[in-house]
């Protein structure tokens, strides 16, 4: 107590108040899961459920990530442009991103996503094309310049590795899948099938290419059902975030309205929880596999060479 600035004190008091509101409009463990996804408070999630998320390689949906901040910056930027004009909307969106980053705890993954979001907003503000590799490089430069120790933070490593994997391999995997399917299907049908499995399978594969060695090095566990789990749960995550966020905001102002909307969010939260628990019960859903630093370096050196 009394150790933070008045702004931080206000932010964290509001954060805990929002957590109490979520707990009041949703049962457990749905309330705890939404608090993790929306507010960055994961401490209330039951241990057995966290183990299930870990065994299925689905913990990334709990962590505040680029998706949350992309959605937030897009909504704020769009609303602010109508209210205060294009020029001022940039500064308002950047301020909201900064406040939300501190509000949810400022983990490495959130800070990385926030800096990339600022770069994209800046590109739009000055009328230049946004280039994701430049944005991620700028984020890494700023974060390591202000705190070189973040290089050893697992969240930093996983966040940048996953983002790099998406940037480098998601589109090539989509093109490869489309070409492979076009051998037996029409071009239109093949593209529809690729679009259908892109987020759940191909995007997950792209992230796994660059994150799997880090996961095995730090956690010593290989999930054999991660693709299946992500196929099941990723399509509903935008609904979890939007319905859950709207329910929380409404409940802060008018509790009955927030409660009504919370039951819609409950459906998607319950589906996510049960899908994770179901796939975690698959025999050998996760197997112990640990690698040392030498295989880690060899893998990334080979991946870099192949990619180059």
């Amino acid at each position: 107590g009394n150790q933070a600035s008045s702004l931080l004190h206000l932010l964290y008091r509001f954060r805990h108040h929002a957590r109490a509101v979520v707990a009041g409009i949703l049962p457990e463990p749905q309330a705890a899961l939404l608090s993790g996804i929306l507010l960055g408070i994961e401490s209330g999630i039951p241990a057995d459920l966290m183990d299930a998320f870990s065994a299925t390689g689905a913990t990334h949906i709990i962590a505040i990530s680029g998706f949350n901040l992309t959605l937030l910056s897009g909504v704020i930027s769009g609303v602010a442009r109508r209210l205060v004009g294009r020029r001022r909307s940039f500064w308002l969106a950047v301020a909201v991103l900064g406040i939300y980053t501190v509000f949810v705890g400022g983990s490495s993954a959130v800070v990385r996503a926030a800096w990339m979001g600022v770069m994209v907003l800046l590109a739009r503000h000055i009328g230049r094309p946004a280039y994701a590799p430049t944005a991620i490089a700028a984020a890494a430069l700023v974060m390591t310049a202000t705190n070189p120790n973040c290089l050893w933070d697992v969240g930093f490593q996983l966040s940048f590795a996953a983002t790099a994997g998406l940037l480098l391999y998601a589109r090539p995997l989509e093109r490869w899948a489309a070409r492979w399917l076009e051998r037996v299907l029409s071009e239109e049908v093949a593209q529809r099938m690729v679009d259908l499995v892109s987020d759940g399978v191909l995007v997950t594969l792209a992230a796994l290419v660059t994150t799997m060695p880090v996961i095995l090095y730090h956690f010593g566990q290989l999930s054999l059902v991660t693709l299946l789990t992500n196929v099941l749960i990723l399509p509903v995550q935008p609904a979890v975030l939007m319905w859950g966020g709207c329910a929380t905001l409404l409940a802060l102002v008018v509790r009955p309205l927030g409660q009504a909307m919370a039951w819609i969010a409950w459906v998607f939260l319950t589906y996510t929880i049960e899908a994770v628990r179901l796939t975690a019960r698959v025999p050998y859903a996760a197997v112990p596999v640990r690698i040392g630093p030498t295989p880690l370096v060899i893998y990334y050196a080979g991946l870099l060479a192949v990619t180059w």
Side-chain angles (χ1 to χ4, degrees):
N2 302 317
Q3 298 298 309
S5 69
S6 56
L7 176 60
L8 284 176
H9 180 68
L10 181 65
L11 278 176
Y12 289 134
R13 279 191 63 184
F14 179 70
R15 185 189 190 196
H16 287 287
H17 175 59
R19 181 188 187 185
V21 167
V22 170
I25 60 176
L26 284 168
E28 295 293 352
Q30 288 83 358
L33 180 59
L34 183 61
S35 292
I37 294 172
L38 197 64
L39 306 174
I41 303 174
E42 303 174 13
S43 56
I45 301 175
D48 64 320
L49 183 57
M50 280 299 294
D51 289 342
F53 271 97
S54 178
T56 56
T59 52
H60 61 90
I61 73 155
I62 302 175
I64 305 291
S65 64
F67 173 74
N68 307 60
L69 286 135
T70 299
L71 184 63
L72 179 67
S73 63
V75 170
I76 295 299
S77 183
V79 172
R81 196 176 293 116
R82 290 183 173 87
L83 295 177
V84 298
R86 190 179 70 85
R87 184 167 297 181
R88 292 179 180 176
S89 68
F90 165 73
W91 299 108
L92 181 60
V94 168
V96 171
L97 273 182
I99 292 171
Y100 184 71
T101 300
V102 176
F103 176 75
V104 297
S107 67
S108 294
V110 180
V111 174
R112 188 272 311 160
W115 275 114
M116 291 188 70
V118 168
M119 292 291 289
V120 172
L121 288 171
L122 178 62
R124 292 176 184 169
H125 178 64
I126 62 177
R128 299 291 296 275
Y131 186 56
T134 299
I136 191 175
L141 179 63
V142 171
M143 291 176 68
T144 52
T146 54
N147 179 18
N149 289 323
C150 72
L151 279 170
W152 312 114
D153 179 63
V154 180
F156 178 93
Q157 295 170 9
L158 286 173
S159 179
F160 277 90
T163 306
L166 297 180
L167 295 178
L168 290 171
Y169 308 120
R171 292 297 296 276
L173 280 173
E174 289 176 359
R175 289 195 294 266
W176 173 83
R179 286 198 299 268
W180 185 78
L181 288 171
E182 284 170 9
R183 295 178 181 177
V184 292
L185 301 170
S186 68
E187 183 178 346
E188 183 180 354
V189 175
Q191 190 58 52
R192 285 181 182 176
M193 291 189 66
V194 168
D195 292 340
L196 186 64
V197 301
S198 178
D199 287 345
V201 178
L202 301 180
V203 168
T204 302
L205 275 175
L208 284 174
V209 168
T210 48
T211 59
M212 186 55 66
V214 178
I215 294 170
L216 297 182
Y217 177 77
H218 287 292
F219 305 111
Q221 181 172 267
L222 174 65
S223 174
L224 301 180
V225 296
T226 185
L227 286 178
L228 173 62
T229 306
N230 280 282
V231 166
L232 293 173
I233 66 174
L234 283 181
V236 304
Q237 294 318 299
V240 168
L241 186 59
M242 288 185 286
W243 286 107
C246 290
T248 304
L249 290 173
L250 274 176
L252 287 167
V253 182
V254 184
R255 183 66 170 266
L257 288 177
Q259 181 68 76
M261 191 167 288
W263 289 116
I264 302 175
W266 176 88
V267 174
F268 298 107
L269 287 162
T270 303
Y271 169 79
T272 299
I273 290 168
E274 294 307 318
V276 168
R277 282 176 169 166
L278 178 66
T279 53
R281 287 196 291 266
V282 173
Y284 303 105
V287 294
V289 178
R290 186 177 293 277
I291 63 172
T294 302
L296 188 77
V297 172
I298 292 173
Y299 176 89
Y300 282 116
L303 182 63
L304 180 63
V306 170
T307 304
W308 184 263

